[in-house]
Amino acid sequence: QVQLVESGGGLVQAGGSLRLSCAASGIIFSINTMTWYRQAPGKQRELVATVTSGGITNYADSVKGRFTISRDNLKSTVYLQMNSLKPEDTAVYLCNAHPPFPRGVDYWGQGTQVTVSS
């Protein structure tokens, strides 16, 4: 059974930091591209940051220089370090695993709420 379990969300003041974690099980974690998405109320889901199996990272323009994605293949965990948080970062943050197969199935976590107060 595949599980992606996010943790680390919470309430923080603007300018503060949080570190999100997503622990995976039931998949060959090391070969998956791992991505953090977020979805705010009334808005579309948006890509925040991604890290490939080879460690290549990519970020949304809105978080560049503030957020850092990393992965620990031994722990089957992907992290999102979020610094200099802004109220507009408030959203549910979701973890996604994307396998490198043409017909591979994506897996999603249940999400963790991040709320940034002004």
Side-chain angles (χ1 to χ4, degrees), residues 53-115:
S53 58
I56 297 172
T57 58
N58 189 43
Y59 297 91
D61 287 343
S62 58
V63 306
K64 280 181 181 176
R66 301 188 297 122
F67 290 11
T68 302
I69 190 171
S70 62
R71 65 190 298 160
D72 185 335
N73 288 338
L74 293 179
K75 295 182 178 180
S76 296
T77 300
V78 61
Y79 304 97
L80 186 68
Q81 178 66 44
M82 305 187 295
N83 298 329
S84 302
L85 283 162
K86 304 175 181 179
E88 51 263 43
D89 294 319
T90 296
V92 174
Y93 284 70
L94 303 110
C95 175
N96 168 273
H98 178 75
F101 315 122
R103 296 181 181 179
V105 176
D106 278 30
Y107 293 99
W108 293 85
Q110 82 289 348
T112 186
Q113 176 70 46
V114 171
T115 302

